[in-house]
Amino acid sequence: MTTKPTVLKELPADLKRDRLPRHVAVIMDGNGRWAKRRGLPRIMGHPRGVDSLREAVRCCDDWGIQALTVYAFSTENWNRPQQEVMLIMTLIEQFLRRELPEMMERDIRLKLMGNLSALPASLQAAMEQSMNATSNNRGMQFTVATNYGGRQEILQACRTIAHQVQQGALSPDEIDESVFERHLYTASICDPDLLIRTSGEMRISNFLLWQVAYSEIYITETLWPDFNRDELRRALLAYQQRERRFGKV
Ligand code: IPE
Ligand code: IPE
Ligand code: MG
């Protein structure tokens, strides 16, 4: 008798399909520490972080998660050494170009969010190209936050709304949560049900400030380059054991 091959695409047996988060957001943290612990320069952790990202995308898609949003570069990350910033930009560009064929195959719709106009021209071109190519795909919505800051996102929404009021297209009393949300980068996706942060830090670091109002937060000590299929399974399992209340009893 031959042993049955492990089908990685299948949802792990201990997870319930009907209780999966629709939207998972991830603060991919700990690349620098991963490298330092191996006696390597901290920037050596970023290429390994890309491998974890590729795996996370495949997993979420295989398991039927509808939306995945990852934090790749914050508005504050410009304060890192220039060499590190440039490496991260290069890695994001390579990732977009290399993964495009597989994203097409998987029917994944890619979106980049953040202040993209401040990014290097070749990265912007790769972003445009992959967003255009995947725009009619109907599978998982995969969003990469690059030069993203939650405060910056809220401010740009306020500015746009203020212009509309100034032009008489909107009255101040009409500004409610749904009007406001339409001006956030995440307008077309539901709020994250689950927010994962790796490397043990207990903070939000300016990620999706508005959208995480009622997200379940899962923090693991695991550093991002070590985050794999089994780590994701554990995060989803923890999520399925939570009781979400939304302020009710
Ligand atoms: C996350 O890893 C990657 C980015 C923020 C771009 P870090 O580079 O922040 O790794 P640590 O937190 O220094 O270990
Ligand atoms: C958050 O990680 C940003 C990203 C993962 C892109 P940081 O490493 O920049 O966050 P802090 O500085 O520890 O808060
Ligand atoms: Mg960090």
Side-chain angles (χ1 to χ4, degrees):
M1 219 173 88
T2 53
T3 45
K4 202 177 152 202
T6 326
V7 184
L8 290 174
K9 276 189 157 251
E10 250 167 47
L11 191 67
D14 48 0
L15 293 176
K16 296 184 191 71
R17 178 155 304 280
D18 60 346
R19 294 205 58 191
L20 280 177
R22 285 159 305 168
H23 181 184
V24 175
V26 187
I27 302 176
M28 310 183 287
D29 196 19
N31 293 352
R33 274 163 286 173
W34 182 92
K36 286 197 94 173
R37 279 183 202 171
R38 281 163 180 75
L40 301 166
R42 52 167 285 117
I43 60 167
M44 301 285 279
H46 296 311
R48 296 301 295 261
V50 176
D51 295 337
S52 294
L53 174 58
R54 186 181 305 106
E55 185 70 1
V57 174
R58 287 178 178 161
C59 251
C60 287
D61 183 43
D62 287 348
W63 295 351
I65 305 284
Q66 291 168 27
L68 170 69
T69 301
V70 300
Y71 204 5
F73 190 85
S74 76
T75 47
E76 288 73 32
N77 287 149
W78 293 109
N79 297 315
R80 294 185 176 204
Q82 201 198 349
Q83 188 204 18
E84 179 169 350
V85 170
M86 289 323 292
L87 175 71
I88 295 170
M89 298 296 161
T90 306
L91 288 172
I92 298 173
E93 185 175 334
Q94 277 179 0
F95 175 82
L96 296 175
R97 294 193 192 281
R98 287 182 185 162
E99 301 308 312
L100 184 57
E102 187 171 334
M103 286 194 271
M104 293 306 292
E105 217 169 281
R106 288 177 173 270
D107 203 26
I108 290 174
R109 193 164 68 253
L110 176 81
K111 213 185 123 181
L112 279 300
M113 68 170 186
N115 181 9
L116 306 182
S117 62
L119 296 169
S122 64
L123 175 55
Q124 285 188 55
M127 290 174 159
E128 277 277 321
Q129 198 198 352
S130 38
M131 279 195 279
N132 287 339
T134 63
S135 64
N136 290 321
N137 289 355
R138 284 292 162 262
M140 184 173 78
Q141 164 79 56
F142 173 42
T143 309
V144 183
T146 311
N147 195 18
Y148 171 89
R151 289 182 173 180
Q152 180 267 335
E153 179 186 33
I154 288 169
L155 282 177
Q156 63 80 33
C158 290
R159 247 178 256 122
T160 311
I161 293 169
H163 280 297
Q164 291 180 357
V165 171
Q166 192 180 39
Q167 285 157 10
L170 191 72
S171 95
D173 295 331
E174 285 172 317
I175 305 169
D176 59 11
E177 290 189 12
S178 74
V179 167
F180 194 76
E181 280 166 357
R182 278 206 289 279
H183 293 91
L184 297 175
Y185 299 129
T186 48
S188 57
I189 348 170
C190 65
D191 288 341
D193 298 299
L194 171 64
L195 172 68
I196 298 173
R197 182 165 188 153
T198 56
S199 88
E201 306 299 346
M202 306 273 183
R203 52 179 174 260
I204 299 293
S205 301
N206 204 12
F207 193 40
L208 301 175
L209 295 181
W210 170 280
Q211 297 87 337
V212 297
Y214 271 102
S215 302
E216 292 296 327
I217 300 178
Y218 176 86
I219 293 170
T220 171
E221 289 294 325
T222 302
L223 304 174
W224 179 250
D226 291 326
F227 192 88
N228 56 21
R229 223 163 244 268
D230 194 51
E231 296 283 341
L232 182 64
R233 179 189 64 82
R234 268 183 252 188
L236 295 175
L237 199 59
Y239 170 82
Q240 296 198 331
Q241 282 152 2
R242 303 274 179 93
E243 184 200 350
R244 302 189 75 186
R245 291 211 193 136
F246 300 100
K248 300 173 210 152
V249 290

